[in-house]
C-alpha cells in the first residue's frame, strides 16, 4: 500500500514537473514563431531602400494610402518618409514629410547644414517578428513567403502588437478597430505585381523582390550595396534592407 | 470613422516635442490599462495578507483574514472588465480563451486568471465559510437560507472530521495560493517587461517590482477598509492588529522602494541610447506623477510617518488616536502612490517615441469607455461587490475580534 502510494506520488510529481518544464520550453524560445528562409525555389520576399535615391516626393505615401484604403489623416501610415537634417553643431532634426505639403525648402543655401537626406520607412517584415509573438489570438501571422499579415476578422484590437513593434509601423485602423500595417501589398505581389509604393517611386529608391531568386533587382541590390537594417540589436531580423543608411536613423 | 477621435488627435499635434513616428501619436493603452494592473495588484496583495494568517501564523492580523479574502475576490471579479472594455472588438474577447497563441504572454491571461479564481480564491473562500454557511442557514428563513444552503453546496456535515478536513484543505490551498498570487501579478508585470521594443518596460525587474507594489497596495487597502468598516459596524479597531499589519506594509514599501531605486540607478548608470529621452520624459511629462505622487507622496512621506510612530512608540507612548490618524493618512497616500506607479509604467511607456527623438502626450477623456468616469466606476465597482459579499458572507465576528481565538487554533 505504502509502496504504491509512494510510486504514484513520485509518478505524478514527475509528470507534473515534466509537463511544466516542457510547457515553458515550448513557450520560451523567442523565435517560436519565426520562420527560417525557405530553400531556393520557394519565395521569400524582401524589400530594398536606396537612401541616396529618395527625393522625398511622397508619391509612395500617396500610392499606399489609395491602394490600401489607409485613412487620409496624418496619423495613420503604412509607409512614410522621414527627412533628416544634421547641422554642423552636431544636432539632428527629423521630420516626417507630409503628402500634399508645399515643396520643402532647399537645404543647399543653409550653410549651417552638414548633411540632409530622406529615409523611407515601412513595416520591416521581420523574419523574427515580435508582433506575431505577442498576438494573443494569432490574428497577426507570418505567411510562408515571409510576409507578416493581420487577419482583421479575428483581431480583437488589444493593440499589444502595436506596443511590441520597435519601428512604429502599426496603427489601429479607426474604421475597423483592428491593427493594420504594410503588407508589401500582398494582394498585388501574389499576382506578380510590385507593391504600389515601389511601382510609383520615380527614382527607384524602393526595390522589391524575392530574396531567394538568383537574378532579380532585389538580389542585385543586395549584391551591389553595403547593407544595414533598422535596430539590428533587437534581433528582429528585418527584411527591409537599407543601402547607405546613416547612423542617425532609428 | 469617428470624426471626434480624429479631432482629438489633431489637438495633440502641437503638443508633440521633437520627432515621433507618425503612427505613435495615439496612446494606445490608456486609463483602463492603468486601472487593470492596479486592480490585480490589490488582489495579489490582499491574498498575501490573508496568507500571513494561515501559513505564517501571524495571529495579530487574524481580524483581517476574511476581509482580505473577500477584498481579493471582489477585485478579481472586476479585473477582466477593464481589459475587455479597452479592446477594439470586445465581442471577440473569447477568442483569447478558445484559440490562444501560446507564445503570447497576454493569451495566458485567461488561464492564469481562471486558475487563480477557481483553484485558489473561490476554493479558499468556500472552505473558510463552509461551516458558517451551514450554521447561518439553520438559523435563517427565506431567501438568505436558500442562498447559504446553495453556496454551501448543500453540505451539512459540521462534524469533527469534516472540520478537520476543511482546515487541512485551507492550509494546502493557501500554500498553493501564495505562488499563484505571485504568478498572477508577476505575470501582469511580464506583459510589460517582455516588450523588448520598449526600453521603459523591458526589464527583468518589472515583474518583481509589480509584485512588491502589489503587496503594498493590497495590504494598504485592506488596512484602510478595516479602519473604515470596523467603527462603521460598531466594532473597535484592534491596534495590535493594525500595528502588525502596518509593520508588514512598512517592510513591503521599503523593499518596493529599494527595487525601484535599483532599477533607476541601473538605468542611469548603464546610460543606454534611450536615456536622454527617458530622463527628459521623467523631468517633464512624468514629473508630477512620478517624482511628486509616486515617490514623494506615495513612498517617502508614508515611510517617514510610519517610522515616526515606530520611533516614538517605544520612547513616549504615542497617543493611539494619533497613531490611527497617521496610519490612515499613510495608507491613503500609498494607494495614490501605487496608482501613480501603474500610471507611470503604462502611460509613461507610451509617451516617448521609439525613435528616441521625441515625446507625445496623453489627453485623458472624461466620458466614453476610455474616459475618467468609466475608470472611476471600475474602481468603485469592487467596493460595491465587496459590500454584497459581506452581506452574504459577513466577516464581522472575525473583524470585531470575537471569533479570533477559534481562528488562531485553525492556523496552528
Amino acid at each position: 500500500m505504502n509502496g504504491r502510494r509512494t510510486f504514484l506520488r513520485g509518478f505524478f510529481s514527475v509528470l507534473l514537473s515534466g509537463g511544466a518544464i516542457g510547457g515553458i520550453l515550448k513557450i520560451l524560445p523567442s523565435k517560436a514563431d519565426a520562420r527560417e528562409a525557405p530553400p531556393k525555389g520557394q519565395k521569400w520576399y524582401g524589400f530594398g531602400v536606396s537612401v541616396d535615391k529618395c527625393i522625398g516626393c511622397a508619391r509612395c505615401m500617396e500610392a499606399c494610402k489609395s491602394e490600401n484604403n489607409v485613412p487620409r489623416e496624418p496619423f495613420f501610415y503604412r509607409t512614410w518618409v522621414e527627412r533628416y537634417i544634421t547641422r554642423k553643431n552636431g544636432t539632428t532634426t527629423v521630420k516626417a514629410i507630409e503628402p500634399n505639403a508645399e515643396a520643402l525648402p532647399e537645404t543647399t543655401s543653409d550653410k549651417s547644414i552638414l548633411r540632409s537626406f530622406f529615409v523611407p520607412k515601412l513595416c520591416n517584415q521581420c523574419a523574427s517578428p515580435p508582433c506575431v509573438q505577442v498576438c494573443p489570438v494569432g490574428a497577426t501571422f507570418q505567411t510562408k513567403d515571409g510576409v507578416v499579415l493581420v487577419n482583421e476578422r479575428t483581431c480583437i484590437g488589444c493593440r499589444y502588437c502595436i506596443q511590441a513593434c520597435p519601428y512604429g509601423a502599426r496603427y489601429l485602423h479607426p474604421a475597423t478597430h483592428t491593427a493594420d500595417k504594410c503588407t508589401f501589398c500582398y494582394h498585388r505581389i501574389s499576382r506578380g505585381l510590385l507593391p504600389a509604393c515601389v511601382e510609383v517611386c520615380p527614382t527607384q529608391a524602393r526595390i522589391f523582390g524575392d530574396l531567394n531568386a538568383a537574378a532579380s533587382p532585389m538580389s542585385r541590390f543586395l549584391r551591389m550595396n553595403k547593407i544595414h537594417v533598422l535596430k539590428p540589436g533587437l534581433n528582429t531580423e528585418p527584411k527591409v534592407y537599407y543601402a547607405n543608411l546613416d547612423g542617425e536613423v532609428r | 470613422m469617428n470624426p471626434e477621435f480624429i479631432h482629438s488627435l489633431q489637438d495633440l499635434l502641437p503638443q508633440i516635442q521633437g520627432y515621433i513616428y507618425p503612427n505613435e501619436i495615439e496612446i494606445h493603452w490608456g486609463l483602463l490599462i492603468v486601472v487593470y494592473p492596479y486592480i490585480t495588484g490589490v488582489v495579489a496583495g490582499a491574498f498575501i495578507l490573508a496568507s500571513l494568517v494561515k501559513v505564517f501564523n501571524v495571529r495579530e492580523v487574524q481580524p483581517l483574514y476574511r476581509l482580505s479574502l473577500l477584498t481579493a475576490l471582489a477585485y478579481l471579479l472586476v479585473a477582466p472588465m477593464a481589459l475587455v472594455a479597452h479592446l477594439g472588438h470586445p465581442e471577440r474577447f473569447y477568442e483569447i480563451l478558445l484559440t490562444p497563441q501560446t507564445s503570447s504572454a497576454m493569451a495566458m491571461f485567461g488561464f492564469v486568471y481562471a486558475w487563480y479564481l477557481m483553484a485558489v480564491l473561490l476554493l479558499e473562500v468556500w472552505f473558510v465559510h463552509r461551516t458558517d454557511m451551514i450554521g447561518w442557514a439553520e438559523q435563517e428563513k427565506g431567501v438568505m437560507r436558500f442562498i447559504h444552503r446553495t453556496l454551501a453546496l448543500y453540505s451539512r456535515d459540521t462534524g469533527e472530521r469534516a472540520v478537520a478536513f476543511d482546515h487541512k484543505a485551507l492550509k494546502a490551498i493557501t500554500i498553493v495560493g501564495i505562488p499563484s498570487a505571485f504568478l498572477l501579478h508577476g505575470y501582469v508585470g511580464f506583459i510589460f517587461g517582455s516588450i523588448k521594443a520598449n526600453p521603459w518596460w523591458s526589464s527583468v525587474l518589472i515583474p518583481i517590482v509589480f509584485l512588491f507594489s502589489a503587496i503594498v497596495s493590497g495590504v494598504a487597502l485592506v488596512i484602510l477598509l478595516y479602519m473604515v468598516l470596523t467603527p462603521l459596524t460598531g466594532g473597535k479597531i484592534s491596534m495590535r492588529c493594525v500595528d502588525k499589519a502596518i509593520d508588514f506594509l512598512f517592510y513591503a514599501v521599503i523593499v518596493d522602494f529599494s527595487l525601484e531605486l535599483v532599477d533607476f540607478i541601473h538605468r542611469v548608470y548603464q546610460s543606454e541610447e534611450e536615456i536622454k529621452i527617458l530622463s527628459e520624459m521623467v523631468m517633464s511629462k512624468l514629473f508630477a506623477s512620478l517624482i511628486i505622487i509616486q515617490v514623494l507622496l506615495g513612498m517617502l512621506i508614508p515611510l517617514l510617518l510610519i517610522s515616526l510612530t515606530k520611533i516614538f512608540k517605544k520612547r513616549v507612548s504615542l497617543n493611539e488616536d494619533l497613531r490611527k490618524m497617521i496610519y490612515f493618512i499613510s495608507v491613503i497616500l500609498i494607494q495614490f502612490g501605487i496608482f501613480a506607479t501603474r500610471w507611470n509604467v503604462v502611460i509613461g511607456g507610451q509617451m516617448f517615441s521609439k525613435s528616441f527623438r521625441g515625446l507625445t502626450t496623453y489627453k485623458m477623456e472624461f466620458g466614453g469607455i476610455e474616459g475618467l468616469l468609466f475608470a472611476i466606476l471600475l474602481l468603485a465597482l469592487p467596493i460595491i461587490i465587496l459590500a454584497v459579499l459581506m452581506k452574504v458572507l459577513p466577516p464581522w465576528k472575525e473583524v470585531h475580534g470575537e471569533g479570533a481565538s477559534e481562528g488562531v487554533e485553525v492556523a496552528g
Side-chain angles (χ1 to χ4, degrees):
Chain A
M1 176 69 185
N2 253 345
R4 193 187 298 162
R5 187 175 278 180
T6 320
F7 169 75
L8 282 178
R9 194 176 283 170
F11 178 74
F12 280 113
S13 50
V14 166
L15 207 68
L16 260 177
S17 53
I21 293 169
I24 288 168
L25 284 184
K26 187 174 180 309
I27 294 163
L28 272 190
S30 63
K31 294 185 179 177
D33 308 288
R35 280 183 193 278
E36 296 294 320
K40 297 273 169 198
Q42 282 178 44
K43 297 246 189 275
W44 186 244
Y45 289 120
F47 202 100
V49 176
S50 267
V51 175
D52 288 348
K53 287 187 184 170
C54 179
I55 54 170
C57 68
R59 286 175 69 179
C60 49
M61 296 159 75
E62 278 291 325
C64 175
K65 287 216 173 197
S66 324
E67 179 71 29
N68 297 298
N69 290 323
V70 178
R72 309 301 299 187
E73 287 75 15
F75 319 112
F76 315 99
Y77 290 99
R78 287 184 174 201
T79 184
W80 67 96
V81 178
E82 293 168 354
R83 181 192 220 189
Y84 285 72
I85 296 177
T86 299
R87 297 190 183 270
K88 285 178 181 152
N89 63 10
T91 56
T92 299
T93 48
V94 186
K95 236 184 130 188
I97 55 175
E98 287 167 34
N100 309 323
E102 290 189 8
L104 291 165
E106 280 284 340
T107 54
T108 41
S109 53
D110 187 343
K111 293 297 172 212
S112 71
I113 292 176
L114 188 63
R115 61 181 188 274
S116 78
F117 51 90
F118 296 101
V119 180
K121 292 272 185 87
L122 64 158
C123 168
N124 282 274
Q125 307 289 358
C126 308
S128 185
C131 52
V132 172
Q133 185 188 22
V134 301
C135 177
V137 295
T140 187
F141 62 99
Q142 201 176 22
T143 61
K144 270 185 195 161
D145 34 24
V147 182
V148 176
L149 301 177
V150 183
N151 183 346
E152 64 167 45
R153 272 176 300 182
T154 52
C155 171
I156 60 173
C158 72
R159 311 162 190 226
Y160 204 12
C161 56
I162 302 176
Q163 307 288 4
C165 174
Y167 308 102
R170 287 173 169 254
Y171 60 91
L172 197 86
H173 198 294
T176 63
H177 301 291
T178 54
D180 197 40
K181 64 166 204 72
C182 163
T183 61
F184 275 172
C185 282
Y186 204 67
H187 58 290
R188 290 174 58 91
I189 60 173
S190 46
R191 273 187 254 164
L193 300 170
L194 286 172
C197 58
V198 178
E199 184 85 42
V200 300
C201 180
T203 60
Q204 293 184 30
R206 290 171 178 250
I207 296 109
F208 174 81
D210 179 7
L211 296 170
N212 270 348
S216 72
M218 191 63 219
S219 45
R220 183 181 158 79
F221 170 81
L222 291 178
R223 200 164 59 240
M224 303 305 281
N225 292 291
K226 304 285 180 290
I227 297 294
H228 200 62
V229 293
L230 295 176
K231 301 191 180 182
L234 292 178
N235 197 27
T236 54
E237 301 177 33
K239 294 203 299 303
V240 173
Y241 301 95
Y242 286 85
N244 302 315
L245 191 69
D246 191 274
E248 285 287 347
V249 180
R250 278 192 288 251
Chain B
M1 211 187 300
N2 184 354
E4 266 175 49
F5 167 66
I6 301 295
H7 200 75
S8 72
L9 290 181
Q10 257 147 6
D11 286 346
L12 291 179
L13 278 174
Q15 301 196 43
I16 293 171
Q17 296 169 8
Y19 173 69
I20 65 169
Y21 295 135
N23 290 336
E24 280 182 324
I25 191 158
E26 186 186 353
I27 297 266
H28 284 282
W29 286 354
L31 193 55
L32 283 183
I33 302 301
V34 177
V35 169
Y36 160 65
Y38 171 74
I39 288 182
T40 51
V42 168
V43 177
F47 187 84
I48 300 286
L49 180 60
S51 64
L52 279 179
V53 180
K54 275 280 165 294
V55 179
F56 300 106
N57 248 336
V58 184
R59 289 154 194 243
E60 290 91 335
V61 293
Q62 179 74 38
L64 302 180
Y65 176 62
R66 292 186 181 201
L67 182 63
S68 47
L69 274 185
L70 295 180
T71 307
L73 183 58
Y75 274 81
L76 190 64
L77 292 175
V78 179
M81 292 182 196
L83 279 189
V84 172
H86 111 281
L87 294 180
H89 283 275
E91 80 283 2
R92 293 182 190 162
F93 84 96
Y94 65 89
E95 299 258 7
I96 215 169
L97 305 169
L98 295 184
T99 55
Q101 176 161 269
T102 50
S103 68
S104 167
M106 192 183 276
M108 293 302 113
F109 174 77
F111 301 101
V112 174
Y113 180 82
W115 166 262
Y116 196 72
L117 180 67
M118 307 292 181
V120 178
L121 261 184
L122 283 182
L123 268 188
E124 177 143 356
V125 169
W126 190 78
F127 274 112
V128 168
H129 293 93
R130 193 187 69 91
T131 44
D132 283 345
M133 286 190 288
I134 296 168
W136 292 328
E138 275 167 8
Q139 292 161 12
E140 286 163 344
K141 289 200 178 105
V143 185
M144 284 312 276
R145 181 188 171 92
F146 174 74
I147 290 176
H148 281 139
R149 273 265 157 84
T150 316
L151 285 180
L153 303 177
Y154 298 98
S155 72
R156 298 240 169 123
D157 192 353
T158 51
E160 219 170 88
R161 279 189 61 191
V163 173
F165 180 79
D166 286 354
H167 294 165
K168 229 171 126 181
L170 273 177
K171 188 131 196 179
I173 296 164
T174 316
I175 289 172
V176 175
I178 296 172
S180 303
F182 276 44
L183 177 73
L184 177 73
H185 210 61
Y187 156 80
V188 175
F190 186 79
I191 287 186
F192 295 97
S194 61
I195 296 298
K196 64 181 170 187
N198 189 321
W200 185 247
W201 291 343
S202 171
S203 155
V204 280
L205 265 186
I206 285 255
I208 304 172
V209 169
F210 262 57
L211 206 60
F212 276 92
S213 53
I215 294 174
V216 169
S217 68
V219 174
L221 187 75
V222 175
I223 296 174
L224 179 65
L225 287 172
Y226 176 74
M227 290 180 81
V228 172
L229 290 175
T230 312
L232 280 182
T233 53
K236 190 175 173 304
I237 294 174
S238 151
M239 279 317 275
R240 231 177 106 228
C241 164
V242 179
D243 279 338
K244 194 74 188 173
I246 286 282
D247 261 3
F248 281 103
L249 180 64
F250 183 68
Y251 299 129
V253 174
I254 289 179
V255 174
D256 185 32
F257 181 64
S258 322
L259 283 171
E260 279 176 40
L261 198 65
V262 167
D263 189 53
F264 175 76
I265 293 171
H266 188 88
R267 281 168 191 275
V268 173
Y269 192 82
Q270 278 203 331
S271 184
E272 292 185 43
E273 64 175 335
E274 69 274 2
I275 192 71
K276 256 190 199 159
I277 195 70
L278 292 189
S279 27
E280 208 178 308
M281 176 176 77
V282 169
M283 292 319 283
S284 60
K285 307 261 176 186
L286 290 186
F287 189 80
S289 63
L290 201 150
I291 310 282
I292 307 284
I293 303 181
Q294 181 184 335
V295 178
L296 195 67
L297 292 178
M299 280 180 178
L300 295 180
I301 291 182
L303 275 180
L304 184 79
L305 286 175
I306 298 173
S307 315
L308 285 178
T309 66
K310 284 183 175 302
I311 294 166
F312 291 112
K313 200 166 71 178
K314 284 184 186 149
R315 302 211 175 138
V316 204
S317 94
L318 196 68
N319 185 332
E320 206 166 85
D321 281 339
L322 186 63
R323 214 154 81 228
K324 258 185 227 167
M325 202 176 73
I326 289 179
Y327 290 164
F328 190 71
I329 294 171
S330 302
V331 290
I332 289 180
L333 283 179
I334 285 173
Q335 286 310 312
F336 280 106
I338 298 292
F339 193 81
T341 311
R342 308 294 181 232
W343 173 279
N344 294 326
V345 170
V346 175
I347 305 291
Q350 301 169 77
M351 286 223 268
F352 67 94
S353 167
K354 285 171 190 158
S355 68
F356 306 145
R357 288 186 182 277
L359 301 170
T360 177
T361 210
Y362 177 57
K363 201 171 128 201
M364 203 190 325
E365 293 165 46
F366 182 72
I369 285 288
E370 289 278 349
L372 181 65
L373 209 58
F374 190 68
I376 292 174
L377 185 80
L378 274 182
L379 289 172
L381 197 56
I383 305 291
I384 298 167
I385 296 177
L386 184 63
V388 175
L389 283 176
M390 289 196 294
K391 192 85 195 154
V392 179
L393 305 170
W396 307 122
K397 215 172 127 193
E398 191 183 71
V399 168
H400 296 167
E402 289 154 26
S405 57
E406 173 206 19
V408 171
E409 275 159 35
V410 169

